[in-house]
Amino acid sequence: MKDEKLKKMEQEYKEIPIPEELLRRVEEGIQKGKEDREEVVRMKKRSKVISFVKAAGGAVVAAMLAITIMANSGASIANAMMKIPVIGAIAEVVTFREYKNTTEDSNMSADVKIPEVSVTNEDGTVNQETTEQINKTIEDYTNEIIAQYEADVAAYGGEAHERVELDYEIITDSDRLFSIRFNQLTIMASGAESVRIYHIDKQTGKMINLKGLFKEDADFITPISDNIKKQMKEQMAADESKMYFLDSDMPETDFQSISEDTTFYVNDDGKLVIVFDEYEVAPGYMGTVEFVIPTEVIEGIVQDGFVS
Amino acid sequence: MNADDLQKKVEEQILDSYEAMYRLAYTYVKNEEDALDIVQESVYKAIKYSGRVRQEAYIRTWLWRIVMNTAVDFIRKNSKEVATEEMQETGREDTYQDFDTLEALNILDEREKAVVVLRFFEDQKLEDIARILNENTNTVKTVLYRSLKKLKVRLAEGEMLYEG
């Protein structure tokens, strides 16, 4: 039983007269919205082949998981050694398991490769803590993908079309850094996966987020965010197939700034790369988008050894 | 889901709930003409930016959010004019001091108004309201308590928060 006052208010609310004109105005809004949206559709058709594949197959999600290890152990001497290149620990993929499944009608299939990483200290002993942590991280991530796939099979059976693929590559193996990147491809009717990149700072043996790359109390959010906005504008000006959520008349859905937990990795050139999930800062047809941050943008605030 | 499908879904949802969108807008501006403008503007934005909806399940909460933001923007932009009009009509104000009517909502701020309308008149779940307002569920609960206190409505906790 609702309160009497509330009931009366609700009744009055429900009795707010609906003007005859309303439907016409709604249709007008829809029409106008479609007209202004047209451009995006045209752009999509002009853009690269991959967009066509995406449109045909539903959502294509390229997600990835990169696990980064600082290839130097021994936190206590870390600061002193920061600028000295040291051949330290060795991290390598020693084996992998594979999860394969295809439904009877072949409409749904999954192929998930699950590597196992071994981290060895400079003296040849196994770094138990980091080895366990990295493998646990990979396992949690791959289990999540498999569980989602199995849940979809259970929920939709032969009704849905879904293909899930996960493989990996070692993208960086320098003196200081070992990075393993996971490429996840999911093709299905709806839904999007999030991009996941986990990082482990081997010097401390602890997981780090973007903040962990920077000096204490340094404001890295503003310079990186500003640089990304600048890049978005430049890209949109140079290539009309590019579109980002920026400077629209709905600012609450625009890209405002990154956060301490924004996804990132360090690429082959030693540059920081910021990664956004599908739909996060751009329309779905743009897929996952990445921005390489010039090192001078974060010079002075980034800790030594992470970027170059 | 691709952009075309999303746009279709958004359109379907609009056609399904435009009367409710109008009522929410009306609650804010209390006149037909402005409420119509707000709905049209909201619908326009929703279709124009339909590519930004991340999940089909969120389309409805997303529409509420657009209507609310558009209405609040509208009021901000027109606050000067509204204030002038009110001053001219001071003689009539007392007629609306009855707390059993919708006019009672006027003592609430914009966010409180949305919470009360969405929770009690539109039967939205607390977690959906939280998503609309970009707040966590506890904050919404707090706002709800405060609003009902202002409205001098007393309910047992259970029915207030979880009924319907």
Side-chain angles (χ1 to χ4, degrees):
Chain A
M1 273 286 282
K2 277 181 183 166
D3 175 275
E4 278 300 314
K5 287 172 192 167
L6 211 50
K7 256 194 196 165
K8 280 188 187 164
M9 282 166 65
E10 183 185 2
Q11 199 185 349
E12 202 182 316
Y13 177 85
K14 302 268 183 208
E15 285 167 2
I16 291 173
I18 302 297
E20 265 178 56
E21 208 188 324
L22 179 61
L23 183 56
R24 190 181 59 74
R25 297 285 295 272
V26 166
E27 283 167 346
E28 235 177 84
I30 291 175
Q31 194 49 44
K32 219 168 146 259
K34 280 181 183 172
E35 280 165 20
D36 287 356
R37 196 191 149 265
E38 272 282 272
E39 210 146 324
V40 178
V41 177
R42 276 203 307 273
M43 274 194 273
K44 190 178 74 181
K45 280 175 187 156
R46 270 207 300 269
S47 62
K48 300 198 175 78
V49 181
I50 192 151
S51 301
F52 174 71
V53 174
K54 279 172 190 167
V60 173
V61 182
M64 59 186 187
L65 166 73
I67 290 164
T68 308
I69 301 172
M70 279 288 291
N72 268 330
S73 51
S76 53
I77 52 163
N79 284 332
M81 290 173 60
M82 267 305 184
K83 282 182 170 150
I84 309 161
V86 174
I87 307 296
I90 300 162
E92 57 186 348
V93 172
V94 286
T95 176
F96 74 89
R97 293 181 290 127
E98 192 165 14
Y99 171 91
K100 272 189 141 168
N101 180 277
T102 308
T103 54
E104 260 173 54
D105 50 29
S106 307
N107 281 343
M108 297 174 87
S109 68
D111 186 353
V112 178
K113 293 191 179 68
I114 309 151
E116 249 190 76
V117 175
S118 171
V119 183
T120 318
N121 293 321
E122 218 166 337
D123 61 7
T125 58
V126 173
N127 184 330
Q128 206 69 38
E129 199 187 334
T130 309
T131 298
E132 276 172 22
Q133 202 168 0
I134 196 170
N135 286 321
K136 173 83 164 55
T137 308
I138 293 170
E139 202 185 335
D140 287 349
Y141 172 63
T142 51
N143 280 348
E144 200 181 301
I145 294 167
I146 294 166
Q148 183 59 54
Y149 169 75
E150 287 180 344
D152 287 348
V153 170
Y156 304 115
E159 303 290 308
H161 288 258
E162 182 171 327
R163 188 156 63 91
V164 180
E165 283 173 23
L166 182 79
D167 57 23
Y168 65 89
E169 58 179 321
I170 292 154
I171 50 163
T172 310
D173 194 4
S174 68
D175 285 352
R176 307 203 71 119
L177 208 63
F178 174 84
S179 297
I180 180 166
R181 170 177 171 147
F182 289 77
N183 299 307
Q184 186 196 345
L185 178 75
T186 305
I187 302 175
M188 56 184 170
S190 69
E193 303 288 340
S194 52
V195 177
R196 297 284 195 88
I197 304 184
Y198 299 120
H199 308 266
I200 296 160
D201 183 343
K202 199 172 154 196
Q203 290 186 334
T204 59
K206 289 189 174 122
M207 296 188 72
I208 55 164
N209 58 9
L210 183 59
K211 190 182 162 73
L213 294 184
F214 296 93
K215 290 177 182 162
E216 210 146 306
D217 298 328
D219 174 23
F220 58 95
I221 290 182
T222 312
I224 294 176
S225 303
D226 288 349
N227 181 263
I228 289 172
K229 285 179 197 164
K230 186 170 149 253
Q231 290 194 44
M232 285 176 167
K233 281 178 196 158
E234 284 167 0
Q235 286 185 29
M236 285 192 283
D239 179 352
E240 53 180 10
S241 73
K242 293 274 173 71
M243 184 193 160
Y244 295 103
F245 300 156
L246 198 70
D247 299 333
S248 76
D249 46 359
M250 247 171 89
E252 69 268 25
T253 68
D254 283 339
F255 169 69
Q256 307 285 358
S257 83
I258 56 158
S259 74
E260 291 179 1
D261 293 311
T262 292
T263 310
F264 74 95
Y265 67 94
V266 177
N267 71 10
D268 274 355
D269 300 331
K271 298 274 186 297
L272 174 65
V273 182
I274 298 291
V275 185
F276 293 104
D277 201 4
E278 192 174 26
Y279 295 114
E280 214 176 329
V281 299
Y285 75 87
M286 294 277 293
T288 309
V289 291
E290 302 187 357
F291 294 91
V292 178
I293 307 300
T295 300
E296 57 262 32
V297 169
I298 48 173
E299 218 155 29
I301 54 171
V302 68
Q303 292 188 44
D304 289 330
F306 282 113
V307 299
S308 58
Chain B
M1 177 163 304
N2 69 41
D4 293 340
D5 288 345
L6 264 176
Q7 187 214 281
K8 248 175 248 157
K9 295 275 178 197
V10 172
E11 189 175 340
E12 279 167 21
Q13 187 64 61
I14 288 170
L15 292 173
D16 206 53
S17 49
Y18 67 88
E19 293 194 352
M21 290 166 75
Y22 175 81
R23 286 197 187 93
L24 179 63
Y26 187 91
T27 310
Y28 277 98
V29 292
K30 286 161 287 224
N31 76 80
E32 186 178 310
E33 197 187 329
D34 292 345
L36 282 170
D37 283 347
I38 290 166
V39 172
Q40 184 169 350
E41 174 72 13
S42 303
V43 166
Y44 167 74
K45 284 185 196 165
I47 294 288
K48 181 176 175 184
Y49 296 114
S50 50
R52 301 187 180 199
V53 180
R54 290 184 203 192
Q55 281 185 40
E56 200 185 321
Y58 295 162
I59 292 177
R60 197 170 158 82
T61 51
W62 193 66
L63 286 178
W64 286 126
R65 193 171 165 191
I66 296 175
V67 174
M68 202 189 82
N69 289 338
T70 308
V72 170
D73 278 354
F74 184 92
I75 290 168
R76 299 247 158 88
K77 277 179 203 150
N78 296 282
S79 58
K80 230 176 160 182
E81 293 160 45
V82 173
T84 335
E85 276 169 35
E86 264 171 24
M87 276 203 284
Q88 286 164 350
E89 289 182 57
T90 39
R92 291 176 57 198
E93 262 184 30
D94 284 345
T95 336
Y96 297 101
Q97 286 305 312
D98 181 354
F99 275 111
D100 287 348
T101 74
L102 266 188
E103 291 294 320
L105 292 180
N106 286 348
I107 63 166
L108 303 180
D109 69 26
E110 287 153 355
R111 202 168 58 149
E112 293 166 344
K113 212 178 275 182
V115 170
V116 169
V117 168
L118 292 170
R119 179 65 200 94
F120 292 112
F121 307 158
E122 294 292 350
D123 227 13
Q124 298 293 298
K125 286 186 203 133
L126 282 180
E127 65 223 64
D128 288 336
I129 298 172
R131 197 175 298 124
I132 294 163
L133 299 180
N134 217 3
E135 298 277 8
N136 65 45
T137 314
N138 278 331
T139 308
V140 174
K141 259 188 222 176
T142 311
V143 174
L144 203 51
Y145 276 116
R146 196 173 56 217
S147 311
L148 291 182
K149 211 176 159 195
K150 279 192 187 175
L151 291 171
K152 298 183 179 145
V153 165
R154 257 187 302 262
L155 293 177
E157 184 182 347
E159 61 185 345
M160 171 161 110
L161 298 174
Y162 304 112
E163 185 192 355

